[in-house]
Amino acid sequence: MKLNFWEIAQAVQAENDWQQWEDFSVTGIEFDSRIIQAGNLFVPLTGNADGHLFVGKAQENGASAAFWSSESAAPKNLPILRVTDTLTAMQKLSVYYLKKMAPAVIGVTGSNGKTTTKDMIESVLAQKYRTYKTQGNYNNDIGLPYTILHMPDETEKLILEMGMDHAGEISFLSKLAQPDVAAITMIGEAHIEYLGSRQGIAGAKMEIVDGLKPDGLLLLPNEEPLLQPLTSNLSQTIKTFGWASDATYQGTVKEVGKEYTEFTVSGFEGVLRIPVPGSYNVTNALIAVGIGQWFGLSMEEISKGLVDLVVTKNRTEWLEAGNGAGILSDVYNANPTAMKLVLDNFRVMKTSGKRLAVLGDMLELGPDSKAMHRSVEKYLNSKEISDVFLYGEEMASLYEALKDRYSGHVHHYQKEAKKTLIQDVQDTLTSQDIVVLKGSNGMGLAEVVAALQNES
């Protein structure tokens, strides 16, 4: 971001006499005083701590200006833009900057797969355009405007991940970003505790059309009946993806390997390849194919973009344990649909040894959580996955469902027993084996992954 101080003042409708300072160039914006660089604008947000308390540190690190909404005295030796709310000001500035730079915006949401899909879209579009995407999980009312304000000036295609916990959040993000293209990866059970039902989740995800441009494109999963009734009054172009013959982009899996999947797409010649395993990743790739086609890429460019894909860490990532075993790490988030998809693919993966599964609690599932955890039982068979390690209070219901037919090869651990879990997995895992780890981020299974990697 490179904007003038006076320009920023007008964009956010600053309430003080900002013209008392001579105009100057502001390069970049940060709300963490520790990573401020020379020339940055400091945005003191109020969360667990009041960001205004750290303006001194921001100045030490080179802040050239700051938003200010505190009743306490502002520093006299730093240009200040007084606003009613600093987060709202950052959001206003992102809207201004987005309109000024005018990239095409692609919005991605869904109960699962949105980060991998975002990565795929960016990799495809980068074959022809200058692109920028949401970094990490910066996909909320703070992260999305932050992403916009960090995109390089030359960005032509901006891919924004949109997350939510409650109804109304996606609507806000969509109206802020005004996407040219929107995609919903899938409707699962994530955040059902707050939304009541899968129907409630579908309605919340469809809020992505609230800011979608009238001549824009909407990509939806073909096999999701909850979304179809919500599209009847839309003016935008709607295309679908999935496995059925009536999908706009019908995928057919040809081969699934440990570190790749090959598939075909209806209407296109040749076989496409993605460097991640699993048919569920093919549906994500179909979104990238559709968006690539919408923006005029050739099938050769789309194919190369998918082959060159680099996925965000902890999303279906193959790693190597210290003893040489294979680790399939998918520990950033989890819901029943996603966990079943991962297990469905993992249980048939080739290995010269055993297959093991480490599964952590799936959070925010509401009153039906125990039943939803127990439903994973159908995807665990001792002939395919020999040992199962279940971690967390909610996984107790799955343990009860499995213990009789797993003959001592299913284990359950409370959250405080992570060290015991790690030791037991290390004792069971041999160099010839493969292990999958899946659970909500709050369960901290990344620590288990790290321990397995560092085992000597």
Side-chain angles (χ1 to χ4, degrees), residues 232-245:
S232 57
N233 296 321
L234 297 180
S235 62
Q236 293 89 350
T237 299
I238 300 173
K239 296 190 177 183
T240 61
F241 58 90
W243 311 114
S245 59

Side-chain angles (χ1 to χ4, degrees), residues 45-348:
L45 299 178
T46 300
N48 294 329
D50 185 351
H52 293 87
L53 299 175
F54 304 100
V55 68
K57 181 65 174 178
Q59 282 183 276
E60 288 177 20
N61 289 337
S64 62
F67 289 151
W68 200 262
S69 63
S70 175
E71 294 182 2
S72 61
K76 294 181 179 180
N77 58 342
L78 181 69
I80 292 296
L81 296 175
R82 184 168 285 280
V83 294
T84 302
D85 181 90
T86 54
L87 175 56
T88 301
M90 185 171 77
Q91 293 164 346
K92 284 182 179 179
L93 185 58
S94 72
V95 171
Y96 171 83
Y97 186 61
L98 192 58
K99 289 180 179 178
K100 181 175 182 175
M101 296 296 102
V105 177
I106 298 94
V108 182
T109 193
S111 297
N112 195 64
K114 52 184 175 292
T115 298
T116 301
T117 303
K118 169 201 70 181
D119 293 339
M120 289 178 172
I121 296 167
E122 191 275 335
S123 189
V124 166
L125 294 181
Q127 302 303 310
K128 187 173 182 178
Y129 300 103
R130 290 184 288 271
T131 60
Y132 189 69
K133 66 181 178 181
T134 300
Q135 304 298 300
N137 64 337
Y138 274 44
N139 61 11
N140 61 6
D141 61 340
I142 297 174
L144 187 137
Y146 180 88
T147 299
I148 293 170
L149 291 167
H150 275 251
M151 71 172 170
D153 290 350
E154 67 274 12
T155 301
E156 297 173 298
K157 308 294 179 192
L158 177 64
I159 303 96
L160 296 175
E161 182 179 330
M162 298 183 183
M164 48 79 71
D165 295 321
H166 297 80
E169 292 176 304
I170 295 291
S171 179
F172 175 82
L173 298 177
S174 180
K175 289 175 181 177
L176 188 154
Q178 297 285 301
D180 299 84
V181 173
I184 299 175
T185 60
M186 63 170 285
I187 304 301
E189 301 84 2
H191 312 301
I192 199 168
E193 178 179 8
Y194 306 121
L195 294 160
S197 64
R198 289 187 73 253
Q199 187 171 10
I201 294 169
K205 298 301 183 185
M206 274 295 289
E207 291 173 6
I208 200 168
V209 305
D210 290 356
L212 182 62
K213 291 175 181 171
D215 59 349
L217 168 68
L218 176 64
L219 278 157
L220 300 174
N222 186 64
E223 287 91 7
E224 183 47 77
L226 291 175
L227 292 175
Q228 295 172 6
L230 305 177
T231 64
S232 57
N233 296 321
L234 297 180
S235 62
Q236 293 89 350
T237 299
I238 300 173
K239 296 190 177 183
T240 61
F241 58 90
W243 311 114
S245 59
D246 59 342
T248 312
Y249 300 100
Q250 179 192 14
T252 302
V253 176
K254 293 299 182 181
E255 185 176 344
V256 179
K258 182 180 176 182
E259 297 181 339
Y260 69 90
T261 308
E262 292 184 344
F263 64 100
T264 58
V265 183
S266 56
F268 297 96
E269 295 183 0
V271 176
L272 298 175
R273 184 183 179 104
I274 49 177
V276 286
S279 58
Y280 57 95
N281 276 314
V282 172
T283 56
N284 299 332
L286 294 175
I287 296 174
V289 170
I291 292 175
Q293 185 188 47
W294 180 261
F295 285 116
L297 274 72
S298 67
M299 205 56 195
E300 290 74 20
E301 291 169 323
I302 293 171
S303 177
K304 186 175 186 305
L306 292 175
V307 167
D308 292 345
L309 169 70
V310 177
V311 296
T312 299
K313 189 174 176 61
N314 289 334
R315 269 76 170 184
T316 320
E317 181 182 24
W318 273 106
L319 304 167
E320 186 174 310
N323 68 354
I327 301 172
L328 182 57
S329 172
D330 195 353
V331 298
Y332 183 74
N333 59 22
N335 59 61
T337 300
M339 186 169 282
K340 292 169 185 177
L341 288 170
V342 168
L343 290 172
D344 203 32
N345 284 272
F346 179 76
R347 65 184 181 177
V348 296

